[in-house]
Amino acid sequence: MDNAFVESFNGSFRDECLNVNWFLSMEDAREKIERWRVDYNEFRPHSTLRDLTPREFAERTAAKDPGQKSPLMAGSVSG
């Protein structure tokens, strides 16, 4: 509970991806997790980001402060 943002993300990932999908192989898991990641970062507005998607928030933050780290979940899932 030290990091509420991480705890919230972990709960969303578990509830919306891990608990609703059957992973038939590692490749299947990678594909399903990647689809969820793209949806989470690029299409779904988040109330904690003033109803912006994480991508929109990162782009606006970068425009204001180019040295700022991105809040997006890191790139694609790989093995």
Side-chain angles (χ1 to χ4, degrees), residues 23-38:
F23 301 115
L24 305 175
S25 66
M26 285 300 293
E27 184 58 31
D28 183 50
R30 285 184 187 103
E31 290 172 7
K32 288 174 180 172
I33 291 169
E34 178 65 8
R35 279 196 307 266
W36 182 85
R37 185 193 68 79
V38 168

Side-chain angles (χ1 to χ4, degrees), residues 7-23 32-41 43-46 73:
E7 294 295 328
S8 176
F9 169 81
N10 286 343
S12 295
F13 181 56
R14 186 181 329 101
D15 293 343
E16 299 167 11
C17 186
L18 299 179
N19 290 348
V20 297
N21 286 296
W22 287 89
F23 301 115
K32 288 174 180 172
I33 291 169
E34 178 65 8
R35 279 196 307 266
W36 182 85
R37 185 193 68 79
V38 168
D39 180 62
Y40 184 88
N41 281 326
F43 298 103
R44 283 185 22 197
H46 296 254
M73 180 180 154

Side-chain angles (χ1 to χ4, degrees), residues 41-42 49-50 52-66 68-72:
N41 281 326
E42 298 182 17
L49 301 177
R50 298 183 306 260
L52 298 172
T53 67
R55 173 147 325 275
E56 291 167 330
F57 183 80
E59 289 168 354
R60 290 181 187 192
T61 301
K64 290 178 186 175
D65 182 3
Q68 180 74 20
K69 287 185 179 181
S70 172
L72 294 180

